[in-house]
Amino acid sequence: MLVATAVPVERDAVAQACPGDSGIEVIAGGVGPALAAASVASALTVAAVHGEPYGLVVSAGIGGGFRPGAPVGSLIVADEVVAADLGAETEDGFVPVTELGFGTVRHEPPADLVRRAAEATGARTGAVLTVSTVTGTAARAAALRERHPTALAEAMEGFGVAEAAAAHGVPVLEIRAISNPVGPRDRAAWRIPDALAALTEGFGKLAPVLEGWNRHDS
C-alpha cells in the first residue's frame, strides 16, 4: 500500500512505525491538494506499469482539529474526505462545485476499514476537510462547521490523494494527528512534535490493520 504525507517530517513519523518488510511505502508528496494528487497519481501509475499495483492509498499527516471534538494530540480517521472550498462564493454564500453541475467534493473510505482503524488506534471518526487555504479566523472556522457539521479536522492534501486513488480504482483512507485548533492563527498553541509523536504511535497500531485488510472484506 502507499502512504502519502505532505512533508518529509510527516513521512519520517509514519515510516518510523512501519517495518521495512511491511509492504507499506511512504512518500512525501508535497503540500496542497494539487501536488498531492499529482504525486500520488504518478506513484500509482509507476506501480501499475511494473505489475505491482497498490491495493490501498492512505493520506496521512498532522492537521487542525475542530473544537471540542478533536483536541490537540488526538487522532482522527476520516469517514468522509471533503473538498471544503471547491466551489463558488455567491451573494447567498458558498456553493460547492457539485451544485454548479461539476465533479465531486467528497470521497468515502471503506466503512469497514474506517471502523477497524479507529478501533485499533483509539481514533475518533468524522469528516476531514481539505482546504487550499488554511483557516485562520474564528468566522471561517464557524462557517466550515456550519456547512460540515460532522467535520473533525482540516488539512490540505486528503481530497487530492483521494481523487488520484479514485482515478486508479484504489480505495483511500485518511488519518490525521491534531497539532492545533482550527480557528485564529496562534503559533504558540501549535503542538507539532506532540502531533508527530501521536502519528507515529497511531501508525504503530494501524500498520497490522492495513496489512491484514482486504478491500473485498468491505
Side-chain angles (χ1 to χ4, degrees), residues 22-132:
S22 65
I24 300 175
E25 181 178 356
V26 189
I27 65 171
V31 175
L35 186 52
S39 298
V40 169
S42 178
L44 290 170
T45 298
V46 170
V49 166
H50 285 85
E52 298 179 344
Y54 293 106
L56 176 68
V57 179
V58 182
S59 177
I62 63 176
F66 286 96
R67 294 170 169 166
V72 172
S74 64
L75 208 61
I76 305 300
V77 173
D79 58 13
E80 289 184 300
V81 180
V82 181
D85 55 8
L86 182 59
E89 290 288 351
T90 74
E91 294 294 338
D92 297 320
F94 179 81
V95 178
V97 72
T98 48
E99 293 185 19
L100 301 175
F102 305 101
T104 185
V105 293
R106 69 183 64 241
H107 292 276
E108 294 185 3
D112 179 65
L113 179 57
V114 170
R115 178 184 58 78
R116 294 189 196 185
E119 289 176 352
T121 61
R124 306 168 190 215
T125 61
V128 175
L129 307 184
T130 300
V131 295
S132 295

Side-chain angles (χ1 to χ4, degrees), residues 164-204:
H168 282 259
V170 179
V172 70
L173 184 71
E174 183 170 11
I175 184 167
R176 294 284 168 179
I178 302 304
S179 59
N180 57 276
V182 175
R185 195 168 176 81
D186 178 11
R187 292 182 69 97
W190 295 359
R191 298 291 181 266
I192 292 177
D194 292 342
L196 291 171
L199 189 62
T200 299
E201 181 181 358
F203 255 88

